Amino acid sequence: MTALMRYHAALLLRSQRWLPPFLLYAAFLAISIQDGQPVLDSLGYTAAALLPVAAWLARICVTGEPDAARGCVAAAAGPGRAHVACLLVALAGATALGSLAILVVTLLSDPVASDHRTRVPLAAACGAGLLAALACALLGTAVGALTSRPLLRSPGRAVLALLLAALLSLVATGSPAQAAVQGLVTGSQRGTVPLPLLPLAGAALVTAAALALAGALASRRSP
């Protein structure tokens, strides 16, 4: 699996298809996050914006390999393992991007609650932001896995499904991403720092199931 992940990571980096989602994420943060804003609010926005980026990156990894190369890798390592490896590379990339963004936003933000008077511990806020970002990266990867081949092969339907699923993951009640982000926003209003451990566990379970399903279908419907 490690060798497969190195292969897919090298393929992703050489293709430079990762640039559009990364640049879009950076542009969103540059516009939305201002110096001196309450730290938990800023971290909530940062984590939420990572979810569609993670989904987009997962789709890029799944669709970026040439057909001939995909066939060779599938024959050597198994189509299921190869498919899961490329999704894990997407998750690792989204997690690294989100972690860097959380650290930068923490340094730029003001360690206060929404009332701009109650102090918020910066280290604890950063930890909560990292956990929320990881939950969003996990759920975004699950969205990308479930809206790409082998589940959806039509590009038009897949992109539409990805956008809709990413939106629902952010706003639907009961979604781990929504719970993690809402926890940060609510914590900012109350002047407390909640750790989104339950949303993170839920996101991990959903993502594990999504990757298992995608890998199983890839084994049955090898390209």
Side-chain angles (χ1 to χ4, degrees):
M1 185 63 75
T2 302
L4 285 172
M5 290 182 65
R6 285 201 302 265
Y7 163 74
H8 282 292
L11 191 68
L12 174 65
L13 291 174
R14 285 200 302 267
S15 72
Q16 297 186 353
R17 295 178 66 196
W18 54 271
L19 276 174
F22 277 41
L23 292 176
L24 181 62
Y25 186 55
F28 173 83
L29 294 182
I31 295 171
S32 303
I33 308 299
Q34 302 298 325
D35 188 15
Q37 286 182 338
V39 62
L40 290 175
D41 290 330
S42 297
L43 292 176
Y45 295 137
T46 304
L50 184 63
L51 193 151
V53 172
W56 190 356
L57 193 60
R59 176 165 177 78
I60 288 173
C61 289
V62 168
T63 61
E65 192 177 13
D67 290 339
R70 187 183 307 109
C72 292
V73 173
R81 294 181 72 243
H83 191 76
V84 171
C86 73
L87 290 171
L88 290 176
V89 167
L91 174 59
T95 301
L97 176 63
S99 299
L100 177 61
I102 289 293
L103 294 175
V104 172
V105 169
T106 301
L107 294 176
L108 292 176
S109 302
D110 197 4
V112 295
S114 296
D115 58 10
H116 291 274
R117 294 190 303 271
T118 306
R119 304 296 295 180
V120 172
L122 203 59
C126 182
L130 288 171
L131 293 178
L134 179 56
C136 289
L138 283 165
L139 205 59
T141 303
V143 168
L146 296 176
T147 56
S148 302
R149 64 185 180 197
L151 283 87
L152 295 177
R153 294 183 177 271
S154 170
R157 293 178 181 176
V159 171
L160 181 61
L162 185 149
L163 294 174
L164 181 60
L167 177 61
L168 289 176
S169 297
L170 286 173
V171 302
T173 302
S175 165
Q178 190 272 345
V181 173
Q182 186 61 42
L184 293 177
V185 175
T186 303
S188 183
Q189 295 170 351
R190 298 176 178 174
T192 60
V193 181
L195 292 179
L197 296 178
L198 286 179
L200 178 59
L205 289 175
V206 171
T207 305
L211 265 60
L213 175 61
L217 290 179
S219 297
R220 295 180 181 180
R221 308 176 189 175
S222 56

